[in-house]
Amino acid sequence: MSAETSVPRPRESDVDISDSALFQGMLSEAEFAFAFFDGDGRIQRVNDVFSDVVNVPAERMAGRQPAEVLAADLSQIITHAVQAVIESDAPVTESRVRVRSAEGDTRHWSLSFSPVHNEAGELRAITLIGQDVTESRQTEEALRRSEERYRSLVEAQSQLVWITSPTGAVVEDAPQWRAITGQGLEEYLASGWLEVVHPEERQQTEEAWKEALRGRTMFEWNYRVRTRASGYRHFEVRAVPIIRHGRVVEWVGANTDVTPQREAEEMRGRLTDQLGAAALRTARLQGATAQLAEALTVEQVVQVIIDVGRTALAADRSAVALLDPDRAALKLINGEGILEASGVTGDEIPLSHSNVMTMAVNSRRPVFAESPESLKAQLLEAGDDEEVLANFLTHGDERAWVGLPLLAAGRALGALRFSFTRPQKISQEDGVFLEALAGQCALAVERATLFEREHRTAETLQRSLLPDRLPVVKGLVLAQRFRSGSRHVQVGGDWYDAFVLQDGRVVTERSIR
C-alpha cells in the first residue's frame, strides 16, 4: 500500500496576456474609451468607444497628432496631458471634458493618462482611459441645484440653520449664524448659540433645550439674540432630532428672524394703547366741558376744575388763580394747601414771583415739571433763590407740577396749577389734552366772570328801585321781603308798592315780572 505524497502542481491558465487577439477583444468590448500615444504625442491606437466619443474614425486618427483630427478644445486638453506625462513620467488624472455625441447630446467624460514602460524601464507609450461620468455629473448638478435652492429658500425666509451632536454640542460651523452674531468659529464651537441668547431668557431657554434632548422631542422656542451690532433681534427656533435605527445621530435646527413681526405687533399694541388713551382723554375733556357749561359762577367753575384735576389727571392738589392786571398779581381762588418755595403767604402771588403759575401766565405757555430736578432747573433759570428752592423741595411732598395759563383770545385771565406727590411723565398727547382743558376752563372762567359782573349790576339796579323805608300807617304793620324770580339769575320777581290815599285808606299794588 502506498500513499501519494507529491504536492499537486498549480493549474496553469489558458489565457495568454500577450495574445494580441485578447488585447483587441478587451479594447473592443470595454465600456471605457482607450487611446495610445507614442513618445511624440501621436495617436497610435484607439478603441471604438473613443472613436465614437470624438466622432472620428479610428483609421483616420492613427499616426496623427490630436490637433490634426480632434476638435480644438478636446485636442488641447489631450495634448497638454500627454505632454505632462512625457515630461514627468507620472500619471495625470481627472481631466474633465465635455463632448457632443453624434445624436447631439452633451456627454461628460473623465480622462486619465498613464505612462507605459518597457522591460528596460523606458517610456514606451502613453495610455488614455476615459470614463463616461454624465450620470454622476448630472446627479452632482442636481444635488448642487437642490442645495442652492435650499440655501436660497433659507435665506429668503431669514432662517439660520445649525447642527449639533446627539448631546446638543455644536460640532459644525454655521456661517450665517456667526455673520449675525459676530461670533468667531472657535467661540461658536466652544460656547454655542446659547451664549448670545439674551441673559434674561438664557436659563429658561437652556432648560427647555435640555428637556428636548432628554425626551428626543421637537424643540420649539423663541428668544432674543445679541447681534454683531450689540443690539438684539427676536428669533423663533425649531430643532428636530435625526433618528436612525432608534438612535439620535444629530439635531438640526433652524432659527427664523421674526423681529419685523414682533416690532409690528408691538407697534399695533402701542397704537391700540394710544387710541384707547386718546379716546379716554376725549371722553374726559367732553365730560369736563359739559360740567363747565353748567357752572355759572367762578366758584362753581373752580370746583369743576378741582374735580377734573382729581379724576381726569389724578392730581393730588389743584389750584386756580385769576389775574389782577392792575396789581400785576395772581389772586388764588382756592387754597387747597398750595406750597410756595419762596415763602409767599396769602392769596396774592405777584407776577414777579417765580412759580409754575406765574411762569405760565408770563410766557403764555404751559409749564411742565416732571420731577423736582426739572422744576429746580426751570425756577433757577427764572431767577428763584437756590437755597430757598432746595429747602422747599426737601421738605415738600410734591414731585411733579403742571402750570397752565388761562387764555381767552390771547388775553391772560389767570392760571391753573396741578401737582403730584410722585414723578409724573407728561407725554405730548397729555400736553395737548391739558392745553385743551385749560382752554375750556378759560372760556368758563370768562363766562362766569361776565355773568357775575352783569348779575351785580342787575342786582344793584333792582335794589335801587326799592324804597328806603315803608310808610307808617296807623293800625297797619307793613313788612317787605325780596324773592328773586329765578333761582339761578337771582334778579326779577314781584314788584310792590304801598301808599296812603287822602281819605286815609292804604293802597297796595304788585306786578309780577
Side-chain angles (χ1 to χ4, degrees):
M1 184 174 181
S2 64
E4 181 64 43
T5 60
S6 61
V7 178
R9 296 178 62 186
R11 184 176 180 179
E12 296 183 358
S13 172
D14 295 334
V15 179
D16 184 0
I17 59 175
S18 64
D19 188 354
S20 61
L22 178 63
F23 180 71
Q24 180 65 32
M26 182 186 69
L27 292 180
S28 61
E29 297 296 332
E31 296 181 355
F32 298 95
F34 288 99
F36 295 90
F37 304 84
D38 62 16
D40 295 327
R42 290 188 295 267
I43 302 173
Q44 296 298 310
R45 192 170 184 180
V46 300
N47 69 346
D48 293 340
V49 176
F50 184 87
S51 179
D52 292 340
V53 170
V54 300
N55 200 23
V56 178
E59 58 272 13
R60 183 181 170 187
M61 290 184 281
R64 310 287 291 275
Q65 292 286 344
E68 298 175 346
V69 291
L70 302 180
D73 54 348
L74 179 60
S75 66
Q76 184 177 9
I77 293 174
I78 292 176
T79 299
H80 287 170
V82 170
Q83 189 63 32
V85 173
I86 293 174
E87 294 177 354
S88 64
D89 197 22
V92 174
T93 59
E94 290 299 322
S95 294
R96 295 291 184 97
V97 296
R98 183 175 60 181
V99 296
R100 186 175 295 276
S101 66
E103 292 79 13
D105 299 333
T106 299
R107 309 292 296 179
H108 297 272
W109 287 81
S110 175
L111 306 181
S112 299
F113 300 83
S114 303
V116 178
H117 302 90
N118 57 19
E119 294 180 356
E122 299 173 344
L123 181 66
R124 174 74 180 274
I126 297 94
T127 63
L128 177 154
I129 301 177
Q131 181 180 5
D132 188 344
V133 294
T134 304
E135 293 184 0
S136 62
R137 180 64 180 270
Q138 291 174 344
T139 301
E140 292 175 0
E141 182 67 19
L143 180 60
R144 184 184 63 80
R145 287 198 300 268
S146 176
E147 291 177 350
E148 289 178 349
R149 291 169 183 165
Y150 172 74
R151 187 179 300 109
S152 300
L153 180 62
V154 168
E155 293 176 354
Q157 295 181 346
S158 302
Q159 287 187 330
L160 308 176
V161 179
W162 47 271
I163 299 174
T164 73
S165 69
T167 61
V170 177
V171 294
E172 187 172 322
D173 188 18
Q176 287 180 294
W177 176 264
R178 292 195 297 107
I180 294 293
T181 62
Q183 289 179 298
L185 178 58
E186 293 183 0
E187 180 185 6
Y188 175 65
L189 294 177
S191 305
W193 53 271
L194 274 171
E195 287 300 314
V196 292
V197 174
H198 195 286
E200 295 178 358
E201 301 165 356
R202 187 175 303 160
Q203 182 177 354
Q204 290 183 340
T205 300
E206 185 176 9
E207 292 175 356
W209 171 235
K210 289 181 178 180
E211 181 65 26
L213 292 174
R214 287 192 295 268
R216 303 198 305 179
T217 57
M218 180 184 296
F219 175 62
E220 292 182 288
W221 206 252
N222 59 79
Y223 44 70
R224 288 170 289 174
V225 172
R226 186 186 68 245
T227 65
R228 181 190 296 271
S230 298
Y232 284 90
R233 297 187 68 83
H234 295 272
F235 280 85
E236 287 184 354
V237 60
R238 174 176 294 182
V240 295
I242 306 301
I243 301 176
R244 294 175 187 167
H245 308 297
R247 299 181 60 185
V248 176
V249 296
E250 64 182 7
W251 286 77
V252 178
N255 283 31
T256 304
D257 189 343
V258 294
T259 304
Q261 296 91 313
R262 282 294 188 92
E263 291 177 347
E265 292 175 1
E266 293 175 358
M267 178 62 72
R268 284 195 296 269
R270 286 195 296 269
L271 288 176
T272 300
D273 294 340
Q274 291 174 2
L275 289 174
L280 180 59
R281 284 191 293 268
T282 301
R284 287 174 173 173
L285 184 59
Q286 290 175 342
T289 302
Q291 295 180 53
L292 290 170
E294 295 181 357
L296 294 178
T297 65
V298 173
E299 182 181 357
Q300 293 172 345
V301 171
V302 169
Q303 187 58 49
V304 171
I305 293 174
I306 294 174
D307 293 341
V308 170
R310 290 172 177 169
T311 57
L313 303 179
D316 296 294
R317 296 188 180 94
S318 304
V320 182
L322 297 183
L323 177 64
D324 184 348
D326 296 331
R327 300 177 60 85
L330 291 174
K331 182 176 177 57
L332 286 173
I333 305 304
N334 70 310
E336 212 184 22
I338 292 181
L339 304 175
E340 292 300 331
S342 59
V344 174
T345 59
D347 296 337
E348 189 171 277
I349 305 174
L351 291 180
S352 58
H353 163 63
S354 297
N355 68 13
V356 292
M357 287 196 292
T358 57
M359 286 192 297
V361 171
N362 291 331
S363 66
R364 302 294 198 273
R365 294 167 56 184
V367 176
F368 302 129
E370 300 176 344
S371 65
E373 293 75 17
S374 175
L375 179 67
K376 180 179 181 180
Q378 295 184 62
L379 291 181
L380 288 177
E381 184 178 356
D384 210 351
D385 183 86
E386 183 173 3
E387 183 178 351
V388 175
L389 180 59
N391 182 67
F392 160 68
L393 294 176
T394 302
H395 296 89
D397 62 347
E398 296 179 340
R399 290 296 174 265
W401 299 262
V402 173
L404 302 171
L406 295 176
L407 304 176
R411 181 171 56 90
L413 302 178
L416 304 182
R417 180 186 190 273
F418 300 107
S419 60
F420 308 84
T421 56
R422 61 200 178 283
Q424 186 78 5
K425 180 68 176 177
I426 306 297
S427 65
Q428 183 177 0
E429 293 78 10
D430 293 333
V432 173
F433 166 74
L434 290 170
E435 289 190 62
L437 176 62
Q440 294 297 317
C441 292
L443 293 176
V445 167
E446 184 180 38
R447 186 175 60 250
T449 302
L450 179 61
F451 168 79
E452 290 186 348
R453 184 167 61 247
E454 292 179 348
H455 172 68
R456 285 193 298 270
T457 300
E459 187 177 18
T460 301
L461 176 61
Q462 178 174 272
R463 292 191 179 276
S464 69
L465 297 177
L466 298 177
D468 295 334
R469 58 186 179 83
L470 294 176
V472 178
V473 180
K474 187 178 180 180
L476 291 178
V477 177
L478 300 178
Q480 65 179 6
R481 183 180 66 164
F482 171 75
R483 188 172 185 179
S484 64
S486 170
R487 179 174 61 87
H488 297 289
V489 179
Q490 296 294 315
V491 295
D494 295 348
W495 292 87
Y496 66 91
D497 196 2
F499 53 90
V500 181
L501 298 178
Q502 292 182 354
D503 58 3
R505 290 180 298 167
V506 178
V507 177
T508 62
E509 65 175 353
R510 181 182 66 175
S511 65
I512 301 176
R513 303 296 184 187

